[in-house]
Amino acid sequence: MTTTPTEAAPQIASGFPTTPLFDRHDGTFFKPSPSSTAEHCIGFWSNVAIPDEIITQLETAYYQTRLNEVQKQVDDQVEAWAQQWITENPKPKRESHVAEWNARFAVDREAFMGPLREGLQKERPMRLDMYDSRQLVRAAQMMYHIPSHKKFPVEENLKVRDHQIELYNEVLTVEEIQTRYRFLKIHYCLERIFKDNTMGEMLEEMRTMNSVLGVTRDMMIEAQRVQNY
C-alpha cells in the first residue's frame, strides 16, 4: 500500500528523541529551566546569575509592602480601639468639657498606637539585610519554581522546602524564609526589570493609597465621635 507524505510524517518525527522540557541546564534568571527534581531546582537557583536591579527591586518592594502591611494593621486596630473608647467615654454634653475630652482621646490614642506599631514591626523584618538579599532572592525563586507535588513525587517538593540557605547571622530553610518574608506576594518584582520609573510609579501609588486609607480612617473615627454628641 502506498503511504502518503502526510501519513509518513508522524513516523519520521517519532524517530527523533523528544527535546526535554524539565531539568535542562540552558536556563537564565528570566527564562529558567523548569525543575522536576529538587536537585535541579536547588542547583539551578543556587548558581544562576542574579541582576543587581532585581535585588534592589526586591528590597524596595519588600520594605514598602511591610510599611503598608503594618499601617493597615495599625489603622484597623486603632479604629476598633477608638470605637470602644468612645463607647466607654461618651462625649460630654457640656461644650466646656469637649476640648478636654478631645485632648484625652488624642493622648490615649497615641499611647495605644505607639506600642502597637512597635510590636507589629517586630513580628517580621521591616527591611532586608544587605548581605542576605541575594541569598533571599535565590530562596524565593526556589519556592516559586519548586517541582509541583501534583506532577512529580511529593518528596522532591519537600526537599526544596527543607533546603537550608546560609544567611549572614543564621541558617534558614526555604520554607522558613517564605514564612518570614512572604516573597510569593511580591514575586512580580523578580519577574522583570522595571524601567522608565515603572517601579517607582507603582510604589508611589501604593504610598498614596496608604495615605488616603489613613486619612479615611481618621475621618471615620471623627464621624463616630460626632455621632456621640
Side-chain angles (χ1 to χ4, degrees), residues 145-163:
H145 297 279
I146 196 169
S148 170
H149 65 277
K150 296 180 179 179
K151 186 177 180 67
F152 304 108
V154 67
E155 291 79 9
E156 301 302 318
N157 186 284
L158 296 177
K159 286 178 184 177
V160 174
R161 292 175 180 273
D162 291 338
H163 177 66

Side-chain angles (χ1 to χ4, degrees), residues 87-195:
T87 299
E88 296 174 353
N89 302 272
K91 188 170 184 177
K93 295 181 179 179
R94 291 188 177 183
E95 188 64 30
S96 60
H97 294 167
V98 172
E100 179 183 351
W101 182 80
N102 282 332
R104 184 156 54 91
F105 173 84
V107 170
D108 289 352
R109 181 172 181 266
E110 186 61 34
F112 173 79
M113 187 165 55
L116 171 63
R117 186 184 301 277
E118 183 179 351
L120 291 171
Q121 290 176 341
K122 290 181 178 179
E123 288 183 356
R124 297 195 298 116
M126 291 300 295
R127 293 181 181 273
L128 304 184
D129 186 277
M130 63 177 293
Y131 294 115
D132 290 339
S133 294
R134 194 173 298 272
Q135 291 288 77
L136 293 176
V137 169
R138 297 190 187 283
Q141 292 294 69
M142 288 179 195
M143 177 61 78
Y144 189 80
H145 297 279
I146 196 169
S148 170
H149 65 277
K150 296 180 179 179
K151 186 177 180 67
F152 304 108
V154 67
E155 291 79 9
E156 301 302 318
N157 186 284
L158 296 177
K159 286 178 184 177
V160 174
R161 292 175 180 273
D162 291 338
H163 177 66
Q164 294 185 325
I165 303 289
E166 182 182 8
L167 302 177
Y168 187 69
N169 288 318
E170 60 185 332
V171 175
L172 297 176
T173 66
V174 170
E175 181 79 47
E176 289 171 334
I177 288 173
Q178 167 56 24
T179 299
R180 178 180 295 183
Y181 296 98
R182 304 176 187 176
F183 288 135
L184 292 179
K185 290 186 176 182
I186 55 173
H187 193 266
Y188 61 86
C189 66
L190 301 180
E191 296 171 358
R192 67 184 177 93
I193 295 175
F194 290 87
K195 297 181 178 180

